[in-house]
Amino acid sequence: QLQLQESGPGLVKPSETLSLTCTVSGGSISSSSYYWGWIRQPPGKGLEWIGSIYYSGSTYYNPSLKSRVTISVDTSKNQFSLKLSSVTAADTAVYYCATRAGTAPYYYYYMDVWGKGTTVTVSS
Amino acid sequence: EIVLTQSPGTLSLSPGERATLSCRASQSVSSSYLAWYQQKPGQAPRLLIYGASSRATGIPDRFSGSGSGTDFTLTISRLEPEDFAVYYCQQYGSSPPRFTFGPGTKVDIK
């Protein structure tokens, strides 16, 4: 059973780079899913998709964050990561990693496996 | 860019009642690309419905999804105490690939 776990600093200073890692267990990141993604949720607000990396290595980002986001995969560690540069207080949120592990046909797009989330606060 | 609108913002109901949640897209969405999630306080979202109407693994049959084009509905036939939560719809756009979530509907106890 595929499981995801986010890790990284809980406090980041304004203008610095937020770096988070999602560790995949119960399966190989190279073959268990078509795409892996990051989603965030500011306090008291809704869900915001940050970006995804596909099995091909292609990455796609939310246009509102694109200039500051990098998502990458480390197959040797069975992890994928998020970097968000030049953070401000508006980047304070719970950050989730998620993926699609279900067996539905490839043309269905959803996320059925989520990490528990990690809270990141941007403050000096 | 497709924008999702969910209504109502809050739905106040009693256990045993039927809940009907709406998700409207600004442009037509493929049913294959429409999903629904439940989120409880302090927890990650949980997939309920994918492909607009297919229940995810382990989801009780009191949850059902329907709709096509720009109008989609999540129905909870009889609310159980554990169903009081926030519900989000999600669509996937393929050009370029991206996910978009609606603002959510909170179902709370009347």
Side-chain angles (χ1 to χ4, degrees):
Chain A
Q1 181 181 357
L2 208 61
Q3 292 184 313
L4 305 179
Q5 177 67 60
E6 306 90 349
S7 59
L11 181 64
V12 181
K13 289 182 167 55
S15 80
E16 295 189 344
T17 295
L18 178 161
S19 295
L20 297 176
T21 296
C22 183
T23 299
V24 179
S25 60
S28 168
I29 197 169
S30 301
S31 60
S32 297
S33 180
Y34 182 43
Y35 48 79
W36 310 84
W38 289 94
I39 300 92
R40 71 180 184 179
Q41 186 170 37
K45 297 189 177 181
L47 302 168
E48 179 181 34
W49 174 74
I50 299 171
S52 297
I53 186 163
Y54 287 68
Y55 75 98
S56 61
S58 297
T59 51
Y60 298 95
Y61 304 127
N62 188 321
S64 68
L65 300 170
K66 186 176 182 177
S67 64
R68 300 192 291 129
V69 175
T70 302
I71 295 175
S72 59
V73 167
D74 186 337
T75 53
S76 67
K77 294 182 178 179
N78 225 31
Q79 296 174 335
F80 63 105
S81 65
L82 167 71
K83 291 189 186 300
L84 181 66
S85 64
S86 305
V87 297
T88 69
D91 297 308
T92 293
V94 176
Y95 286 76
Y96 297 99
C97 56
T99 189
R100 182 205 133 137
T103 56
Y106 72 94
Y107 46 82
Y108 291 106
Y109 285 82
Y110 55 84
M111 289 170 276
D112 60 340
V113 178
W114 293 66
K116 288 181 167 44
T118 187
T119 299
V120 177
T121 301
V122 179
S123 175
S124 56
Chain B
E1 177 191 351
I2 296 179
V3 176
L4 298 178
T5 303
Q6 292 187 242
S7 61
T10 301
L11 195 53
S12 296
L13 295 168
S14 301
E17 289 193 296
R18 181 184 187 90
T20 303
L21 287 65
S22 172
C23 175
R24 180 162 290 177
S26 58
Q27 303 171 41
S28 184
V29 172
S30 167
S31 294
S32 298
Y33 295 171
L34 197 289
W36 289 92
Y37 299 83
Q38 176 194 67
Q39 187 180 34
K40 297 179 181 179
Q43 295 184 17
R46 177 175 73 145
L47 177 71
L48 297 175
I49 300 287
Y50 66 91
S53 60
S54 297
R55 270 187 302 276
T57 301
I59 301 304
D61 61 7
R62 65 180 180 273
F63 291 92
S64 63
S66 62
S68 63
T70 60
D71 291 300
F72 298 89
T73 300
L74 175 70
T75 301
I76 311 171
S77 59
R78 285 176 54 85
L79 282 164
E80 297 287 342
E82 62 267 29
D83 299 337
F84 292 93
V86 179
Y87 293 83
Y88 296 94
C89 57
Q90 165 247 294
Q91 72 91 23
Y92 176 81
S94 57
S95 297
R98 64 174 297 177
F99 290 86
T100 306
F101 291 93
T105 289
K106 182 179 182 180
V107 178
D108 65 14
I109 300 177
K110 188 173 182 180

